[in-house]
Amino acid sequence: DEQLPGSSLKVRARMAYLGGTSMIKAGDFIDASTNQVLVKGLIQDVNINIDTRRPKAIPDWLRTHCPHLTSRPRPATVDAFEKPSSAKSFTFMVTVLPSDIDGNNHTNQG
């Protein structure tokens, strides 16, 4: 079977950093036939107290289990990037209605 470029992906996910109240996870989508990284991403999760809605310390058991993640420099979660000249892109303007915004000014995903 011949494998066509882009027909099979490898996904790599990992914990990249563990802070005092947050953690950063990293992931990549890789073209399995060429090993070219197609998409890279970082997600920052903040541990919160559900009652106060304020940041809460990461549990000691997790920090003890992953000390290598607490000693690393914190990765930047937003990097500047240049759009490749060969990339096809488009813009789609959206108006969010007040009925689609919750009490915390979050938009609905549906």
Side-chain angles (χ1 to χ4, degrees), residues 59-71:
D60 289 337
W61 67 264
L62 184 55
R63 296 178 63 78
T64 301
H65 185 71
C66 305
H68 61 287
L69 296 175
T70 62
S71 60

Side-chain angles (χ1 to χ4, degrees), residues 34-93:
T34 63
N35 277 332
Q36 177 186 9
V37 176
L38 303 172
V39 177
K40 292 167 71 168
L42 293 171
I43 297 174
Q44 180 174 6
D45 293 327
V46 177
N47 193 33
I48 63 164
N49 179 304
I50 201 161
D51 296 321
T52 64
R53 298 179 60 105
R54 302 292 306 152
K56 178 172 116 175
I58 297 290
D60 289 337
W61 67 264
L62 184 55
R63 296 178 63 78
T64 301
H65 185 71
C66 305
H68 61 287
L69 296 175
T70 62
S71 60
R72 292 181 181 168
R74 184 186 185 284
T77 51
V78 180
D79 289 329
F81 66 93
E82 302 231 355
K83 182 179 93 173
S85 59
S86 63
K88 295 179 182 176
S89 64
F90 64 92
T91 301
F92 185 78
M93 300 299 293

